[in-house]
Amino acid sequence: MSLGHFGGWLLLCSLSLGVQAAADIPKLAPATGSAGINHQYDGPWEYFVGGGIATFDCNHDRKPDVFLAGGKHPAQLFINRSETGAALRFQPQSLNLSARDLTKVLGAYPLDMDNDGRLDLVLLRVGRNILLRGEKDCQFTKVNKAWQFDGGKAWTTAFSATFEAESMFPTLAFGNYVDRSAPGSPWGTCADNALLRPLTSGAAADSAVPVSRALPNYSEPMALTPGHCALSMLFTDWNKTGEAALRISNDRHYYRGGEEQLWHVPPGRPPRRYTRYEGWERVMIWGMGIAEGDLNGDGYPEYVLTSMGDTRIQILDDEAEEDRPVYRDIALERGATAHRPYTGDDLRPSTGWHAEFADFNNDARLDLYIAKGNVESMPDFTAFDPDNLLLGQFDQRFKEAGLAAGIALDRRGRGAAVADFNSDGLLDLIVVNRAAPVSVFRNRGALTDWGVRPMGNWLQLEVRQPGHNHFALGATIAIKTGNLTQIRKIQVGGGHASGHMGFVHIGLGVAERAQVRIQWPDGSWSAPYRLFANQFALIEKGSDRVRYWYPEAAD
């Protein structure tokens, strides 16, 4: 019997005896020095926020590559050269872009904007934002002029995208921070946010121009006003209607009366804010990051909101009607309060940034990672602020494991990426730190008193559809093992200035097979696919068969 099967046998025995089995603690081993990523995010006060990372496959080898914001330093692209199951290894890639365009970058998000099957990049900057079209060999071309995208001149700190009904190209939302040109800046001078819709509608899909050759052209931005100094935003189908709304997490520090926001974005019509008359209750925090995850498999998303001194986990109230976004906070009852450091002697409040739900230990329960760090040297907030790794438990609570896992570093974290960089079925971690080197962690497996052993089973899914929206942005994935259903969404946005596009990772625990169904962005459902565990599966809309990718094993 292998160690992995032995661990699963012990887990099953514990459950059959009614014993609460503790979640495996993943060993996240430092790999910064050997990984080949030598990069730092830094700069004056405009760069106290931001510090993002985009992970995506730019050379079609199905391994996530890494693009890092640099602030006053040039942003950098690193190609993933990690061998399967081996040490993490990256190689810097020179880019045919000007140093002017690569500096002042706060964050980056991957997105196929022109339907050519290659991922493009949206760069958030202090000043003009930039759209980069993905080319061969991990090169990029600036296309602001070609796609009639002005880019503005704001201090942009948040982004999300969605494909609205009947649209060939994505709708883009940009969140802006303080208006630096306003009198009295920064106090009380939050800039408006912006929504950009493509001018080319779905009618173009019936024209003689192939989808892969049509180009997006963007309209004048629609102001989302008032802005309350956005630091993260996310298009989300909060009530399962198939129509995405826009959540914005705001740093109310600079705006008296500032609060979290939720916007109606009806296709073809102007956006408008949800009001208290519709059930939206005022939440006033120093909002930094936002992430979505379905903690109970009911199809309705829960949200984590990071902040200074507070972390919220919101769940739709049981009594809420279909069109009323009434939420309650469950962070305290779930043990997910991350308002102070969990180790050390400094008990001042924490500052949370990037947030992400992911299954680090493959036990079929979502965990929660939060990057932490003082804005700069704010005396009312802790200086030593280690990142959180809150592991999901069988009783639906969370348990802090950051210290045991090995991520409790004395750094000022900002953006982050959670992905399987060496194709071994285990989620690794890269964190962008302010004024310090990027942190790289390799997931080595479950930490025990006897060393490290394998963890639970897993699946990784690549979901595609023909025509426009090739990467199926907005799709829902339902994974069933026994009586357990897990839900994953394909989204662009959230976190803190950091985005990911690639394989969707699902932990399966002791299950050796799963049934997978896809709800495509048009609302239709796929047939059920029956998959064995520990596979990289490729699912395309309209196909009744699943293809597999087998990464080459290291020598």
Side-chain angles (χ1 to χ4, degrees):
M1 181 182 292
S2 69
L3 285 176
H5 285 95
F6 180 69
W9 177 80
L10 286 177
L11 178 59
L12 285 174
C13 288
S14 298
L15 291 175
S16 65
L17 293 173
V19 178
Q20 172 66 55
D24 284 335
I25 297 176
K27 175 60 178 177
L28 298 176
T32 304
S34 60
I37 295 180
N38 181 16
H39 185 81
Q40 185 166 303
Y41 176 83
D42 202 356
W45 71 286
E46 290 101 333
Y47 306 102
F48 289 179
V49 298
I53 172 173
T55 51
F56 63 108
D57 176 16
C58 68
N59 55 9
H60 289 203
D61 66 355
R62 292 198 162 89
K63 294 181 180 179
D65 306 301
V66 172
F67 183 92
L68 295 163
K72 72 175 184 179
H73 304 301
Q76 283 188 277
L77 176 66
F78 291 85
I79 305 303
N80 189 350
R81 302 299 187 194
S82 308
E83 295 185 340
T84 305
L88 305 186
R89 188 165 63 90
F90 297 86
Q91 177 182 329
Q93 170 75 34
S94 60
L95 296 171
N96 296 326
L97 298 166
S98 71
R100 178 179 179 181
D101 289 338
L102 289 173
T103 54
K104 299 186 177 181
V105 177
L106 295 172
Y109 288 84
L111 173 67
D112 183 5
M113 288 178 281
D114 59 350
N115 300 312
D116 66 351
R118 290 194 182 97
L119 286 166
D120 313 304
L121 280 176
V122 179
L123 303 190
L124 312 184
R125 300 176 71 246
V126 178
R128 180 160 295 176
N129 299 317
I130 292 177
L131 304 184
L132 297 177
R133 184 179 189 267
E135 310 284 359
K136 293 181 179 179
D137 303 321
C138 293
Q139 291 300 314
F140 296 86
T141 300
K142 182 179 176 180
V143 289
N144 283 39
K145 184 176 180 180
W147 293 355
Q148 298 183 26
F149 174 77
D150 177 74
K153 56 182 180 180
W155 179 1
T156 303
T157 45
F159 176 78
S160 191
T162 187
F163 277 82
E164 296 186 79
E166 306 302 324
S167 179
M168 279 184 61
F169 301 107
T171 293
L172 313 178
F174 291 87
N176 300 316
Y177 202 49
V178 169
D179 183 351
R180 295 169 298 147
S181 64
S185 177
W187 309 110
T189 60
C190 293
D192 287 340
N193 303 314
L195 184 81
L196 285 82
R197 283 181 163 136
L199 293 174
T200 309
S201 69
D206 300 324
S207 70
V209 180
V211 170
S212 60
R213 292 178 56 190
L215 296 178
N217 292 301
Y218 282 96
S219 62
E220 288 294 318
M222 287 181 280
L224 303 179
T225 185
H228 294 167
C229 289
L231 281 179
S232 60
M233 55 177 30
L234 181 65
F235 278 109
T236 176
D237 186 6
W238 68 270
N239 56 352
K240 295 199 299 184
T241 62
E243 183 179 295
L246 181 65
R247 284 201 64 146
I248 306 178
S249 193
N250 297 305
D251 183 1
R252 69 180 177 90
H253 184 69
Y254 295 110
Y255 192 93
R256 182 170 296 175
E259 60 182 289
E260 303 295 282
Q261 294 173 314
L262 179 67
W263 288 78
H264 292 274
V265 189
R269 291 186 288 166
R272 66 174 180 84
R273 280 188 299 163
Y274 278 88
T275 67
R276 274 172 274 287
Y277 295 105
E278 298 171 282
W280 180 251
E281 297 181 4
R282 169 170 284 191
V283 174
M284 301 177 67
I285 58 176
W286 289 286
M288 306 292 194
I290 185 172
E292 172 183 318
D294 189 341
L295 297 177
N296 54 15
D298 65 354
Y300 291 95
E302 282 74 56
Y303 304 94
V304 58
L305 310 173
T306 62
S307 176
M308 293 194 296
D310 198 3
T311 294
R312 306 285 181 91
I313 297 182
Q314 291 188 327
I315 189 171
L316 194 64
D317 192 91
D318 293 337
E319 303 299 323
E321 300 174 12
E322 181 178 326
D323 59 346
R324 294 180 64 80
V326 181
Y327 286 87
R328 60 185 180 91
D329 181 28
I330 59 171
L332 181 60
E333 66 185 69
R334 297 290 179 91
T337 52
H339 58 291
R340 286 190 174 89
Y342 51 84
T343 185
D345 299 325
D346 193 341
L347 297 180
R348 287 176 293 177
S350 286
T351 305
W353 297 90
H354 184 88
E356 191 159 346
F357 285 110
D359 190 350
F360 280 87
N361 52 10
N362 289 340
D363 64 354
R365 296 185 298 273
L366 284 175
D367 310 312
L368 175 57
Y369 167 78
I370 302 174
K372 292 285 198 64
N374 197 297
V375 172
E376 185 66 8
S377 54
M378 297 183 73
D380 293 335
F381 295 86
T382 182
F384 175 61
D385 206 357
D387 297 352
N388 293 98
L389 181 58
L390 293 153
L391 297 180
Q393 308 293 305
F394 277 100
D395 59 2
Q396 298 190 342
R397 290 175 58 81
F398 290 91
K399 184 176 181 180
E400 181 60 60
L403 181 62
I407 65 169
L409 303 184
D410 189 7
R411 298 281 176 88
R412 286 177 291 180
R414 291 297 190 264
V418 178
D420 179 4
F421 291 105
N422 60 352
S423 308
D424 63 354
L426 303 176
L427 291 174
D428 310 300
L429 174 65
I430 298 179
V431 187
V432 178
N433 302 297
R434 171 163 168 77
V438 168
S439 299
V440 181
F441 298 93
R442 177 187 173 191
N443 192 337
R444 300 303 302 269
L447 181 66
T448 72
D449 292 338
W450 306 278
V452 177
R453 62 166 174 78
M455 294 189 292
N457 294 323
W458 51 271
L459 273 176
Q460 298 201 51
L461 305 177
E462 178 184 282
V463 178
R464 300 287 184 268
Q465 62 179 12
H468 67 284
N469 192 10
H470 183 62
F471 288 79
L473 186 62
T476 299
I477 305 172
I479 309 97
K480 187 175 182 181
T481 51
N483 295 324
L484 175 67
T485 297
Q486 299 185 67
I487 301 294
R488 299 289 191 272
K489 293 284 291 188
I490 299 179
Q491 298 170 299
V492 171
H496 179 68
S498 302
H500 170 76
M501 185 65 74
F503 277 107
V504 178
H505 175 275
I506 306 103
L508 299 181
V510 299
E512 296 183 348
R513 64 187 68 191
Q515 177 180 285
V516 173
R517 294 190 71 192
I518 313 295
Q519 185 180 31
W520 299 101
D522 64 6
S524 64
W525 281 92
S526 73
Y529 300 99
R530 301 185 185 279
L531 306 177
F532 285 99
N534 306 326
Q535 302 286 341
F536 292 87
L538 317 177
I539 300 176
E540 185 166 351
K541 185 180 181 182
S543 176
D544 58 357
R545 300 183 62 185
V546 175
R547 296 184 296 124
Y548 295 94
W549 175 62
Y550 301 100
E552 295 183 5
D555 294 333

